[in-house]
Amino acid sequence: MFAQWWDNFQESCDIRLAAGAGGVAAWVLLVAVSPVLSVSPTLTVSGPSWRPCIALGAAIMFGATAIAGSPKLLRAERTLPHLPFLVAGAVLSFAGIVLHHSSDAIAITVVAALCTGGGLAALVLGWVPPFASIRLRKRVVGTVVTAFAGAALYLLVVMIPSPANLGAALALLAASPLLASQIDSPDAISSAAVPSTAIPPRLFGPELSAGALVFGILFVLAGHVLPDIEHAWMASPVPGMINVALFLVLETTLTLYMVRRVRRESPTVAYRPVIIFAALGFLLLPFVDERGALLCMAISFAGFGCFLVYFWIVMGNICQHRRSVPIATYGFGLFLIFVGFLIGETACQVLYSRPHEAFSYAATISILSLFLLVVLAWSMTDGGRFAQETAEMGGIPFAMNGAGAEKDSAEHDSDTSADRIAQAAILYNLSPRETEVVELLLRGRSIPYICDELFIAKSTAQTHVRHIYAKMSITGGRQELIDRIESADEVQRPSPPPTA
């Protein structure tokens, strides 16, 4: 059982990719929600703060990358290689953290935060091409495993006594480019294939863009639920550990549901629950004490983390569907999230500085956040369509408007002949999994593709094919299978009565 599971896992996920990208994910968590790298509070200090300046530095890097990768600026013979991004990100992040720990001066804090934020963005962008170049199934598995690895590394580092934990965190910077250099370079998508109108805002559409902005705002609002005791929270690793642990619980639950219940690894499964979890945390906030507020923050953080997993996957879908430059496309999407961070920081500063007579600060944050979630739910009612497999990868091509989606759906229905497959399954007593294999075989998919699509080992896929051929008495290969499926409805249809 374990050997078969391990074979399935290795066929669906590159360990080096998950470990290297997981190190970057851990680095992001250490900067965001731990005192290991970030030793300054935010709202409780005067002047420019550490974390808002990090968000500003990351937003500048993401925005510059999105602009640099646009079709108008990126020549056909040029690409945006990912390894230099990782090296530059490691250097900038290291310099920023060293400066941050060396002085408390405001000017040094600002420079250190901008360097750290820019380096963080470069590290994230450096792992974009390996994810954007693989099929949806492998990207889903790789992204989820990366999230688990990042959370596990984060928990490991924060439990190491200081100052050894700082050295362990900085070691992640060197490990990420090293692991990336061991992975075969993905096929770069040059701007020669990018339509002249495929600028990032049109790639994402208003729904997904609004979702990125709103979740960025909500993440900051959740982090500032009780600013009066924020300094004590920032000095302790406990709040961050609770946040990450609850994220692991939620992501594990969604993953088990995908594998066990749905039997398909689809980011659509994670789309609606993340909004519910984010709303639940803010809904309970006005009714709890300080410890309860910590739990509310963790619930909302878990929802935000799962949204990032979903967002990372669907940005890869957009790259493959539109043939856009991956690093530039991801850069624009993450730029929206970090702009949301900056909006959230500004909103918290304004709300905290105003007198609160009718409502407390926590209640005000709760009301504002729930309103944003209602707007988000309304604007992204069709957000699940972004999680479809792209036409280039052999699935249903998603469209940016309803008419295109209906057309694509109709074409897919005619191609797969779902009714005939269902009739053949009844006629030949095929199991649900064998029916899925038949559908893929009719689409001309190979055994390796079927393994990746259904998350099964090669031997398992071959066994399904043998069983299918035996039940249908097929000896002539795939063409005979096609003929049997096409004639399945004729076999079941009663013969017409003889004419007089």
Side-chain angles (χ1 to χ4, degrees):
M1 172 72 92
F2 178 79
Q4 182 180 2
W5 176 87
W6 182 248
D7 289 341
N8 291 338
F9 175 76
Q10 287 184 311
E11 291 178 7
S12 300
C13 180
D14 190 324
I15 302 298
R16 296 165 300 181
L17 184 146
V24 173
W27 174 261
V28 174
L29 290 173
L30 288 168
V31 171
V33 290
S34 85
V36 176
L37 300 180
S38 302
V39 296
S40 298
T42 51
L43 284 178
T44 56
V45 297
S46 60
S49 301
W50 165 250
R51 280 183 174 82
C53 289
I54 289 178
L56 177 61
I60 292 173
M61 176 64 76
F62 286 131
T65 305
I67 294 173
S70 66
K72 294 182 179 179
L73 296 182
L74 188 63
R75 303 299 180 185
E77 67 273 13
R78 294 177 57 201
T79 58
L80 295 177
H82 66 291
L83 198 55
F85 271 86
L86 292 171
V87 175
V91 172
L92 279 174
S93 299
F94 178 80
I97 292 301
V98 170
L99 283 175
H100 178 52
H101 285 260
S102 63
S103 174
D104 295 331
I106 294 180
I108 298 297
T109 298
V110 172
V111 173
L114 291 176
C115 288
T116 303
L120 181 149
L123 285 169
V124 172
L125 291 171
W127 282 102
V128 164
F131 281 93
S133 63
I134 56 181
R135 290 195 294 263
L136 175 62
R137 295 292 174 179
K138 286 189 176 182
R139 188 162 64 256
V140 171
V141 176
T143 303
V144 172
V145 174
T146 294
F148 287 152
L153 288 172
Y154 167 86
L155 294 174
L156 179 63
V157 170
V158 296
M159 288 189 292
I160 298 176
S162 180
N165 54 9
L166 179 60
L170 294 176
L172 297 175
L173 296 178
S176 185
L178 180 62
L179 288 169
S181 65
Q182 304 300 316
I183 300 175
D184 295 335
S185 297
D187 296 332
I189 302 177
S190 68
S191 62
V194 182
S196 59
T197 58
I199 58 177
R202 294 193 63 179
L203 284 176
F204 281 77
E207 305 100 328
L208 203 57
S209 299
L213 279 171
V214 169
F215 267 96
I217 297 172
L218 293 177
F219 175 77
V220 174
L221 295 181
H224 293 316
V225 293
L226 290 176
D228 293 332
I229 61 171
E230 189 173 304
H231 182 76
W233 279 10
M234 298 305 302
S236 172
V238 175
M241 295 177 68
I242 295 176
N243 291 347
V244 175
L246 196 56
F247 161 72
L248 279 176
V249 171
L250 178 56
E251 189 61 43
T252 301
T253 302
L254 292 174
T255 301
L256 291 175
Y257 178 78
M258 286 189 290
V259 175
R260 295 283 186 178
R261 181 72 177 271
V262 184
R263 296 190 305 160
R264 286 183 177 273
E265 296 72 38
S266 170
T268 311
V269 180
Y271 167 63
R272 289 184 175 85
V274 299
I275 299 180
I276 295 175
F277 264 77
L280 179 62
F282 287 110
L283 178 64
L284 297 176
L285 182 60
F287 308 102
V288 297
D289 55 10
E290 293 180 357
R291 292 184 179 181
L294 177 61
L295 181 59
C296 290
M297 180 180 68
I299 294 173
S300 297
F301 176 85
F304 174 79
C306 291
F307 173 80
L308 279 183
V309 172
Y310 163 86
F311 194 52
W312 185 269
I313 294 168
V314 298
M315 282 193 292
N317 282 9
I318 292 173
C319 291
Q320 293 175 354
H321 180 68
R322 297 293 183 182
R323 299 295 295 173
S324 59
V325 180
I327 290 181
T329 303
Y330 274 78
F332 178 76
L334 296 171
F335 169 76
L336 292 175
I337 289 181
F338 275 82
V339 168
F341 288 172
L342 297 175
I343 295 174
E345 291 285 354
T346 303
C348 287
Q349 294 283 358
V350 172
L351 292 175
Y352 185 66
S353 61
R354 294 176 63 87
H356 301 90
E357 299 178 355
F359 298 99
S360 65
Y361 172 81
T364 304
I365 292 292
S366 174
I367 294 171
L368 176 61
S369 301
L370 290 174
F371 171 76
L372 290 174
L373 284 166
V374 170
V375 173
L376 176 62
W378 173 78
S379 65
M380 290 190 67
T381 52
D382 198 22
R385 63 189 170 91
F386 291 102
Q388 295 171 356
E389 182 73 279
T390 62
E392 291 80 1
M393 295 289 107
I396 309 173
F398 61 80
M400 288 299 162
N401 54 67
E406 293 175 359
K407 179 181 178 181
D408 291 336
S409 179
E411 292 175 355
H412 177 67
D413 291 340
S414 62
D415 292 338
T416 56
S417 303
D419 292 338
R420 290 181 176 177
I421 294 175
Q423 291 172 355
I426 297 174
L427 179 63
Y428 297 106
N429 194 27
L430 301 179
S431 68
R433 180 63 88 182
E434 290 169 347
T435 304
E436 292 175 338
V437 173
V438 167
E439 180 180 348
L440 293 173
L441 289 173
L442 292 178
R443 288 162 55 187
R445 300 309 173 200
S446 63
I447 293 297
Y449 184 97
I450 294 174
C451 295
D452 182 44
E453 180 77 6
L454 301 181
F455 198 48
I456 56 178
K458 183 178 181 181
S459 59
T460 305
Q462 292 173 334
T463 300
H464 285 315
V465 174
R466 286 197 301 269
H467 289 171
I468 292 168
Y469 283 8
K471 289 180 179 181
M472 302 179 70
S473 301
I474 293 175
T475 59
R478 192 171 304 203
Q479 184 57 52
E480 186 176 352
L481 173 65
I482 296 174
D483 295 338
R484 291 292 179 86
I485 296 298
E486 290 181 347
S487 62
D489 55 348
E490 298 177 0
V491 173
Q492 286 189 313
R493 189 184 300 120
S495 301
T499 58

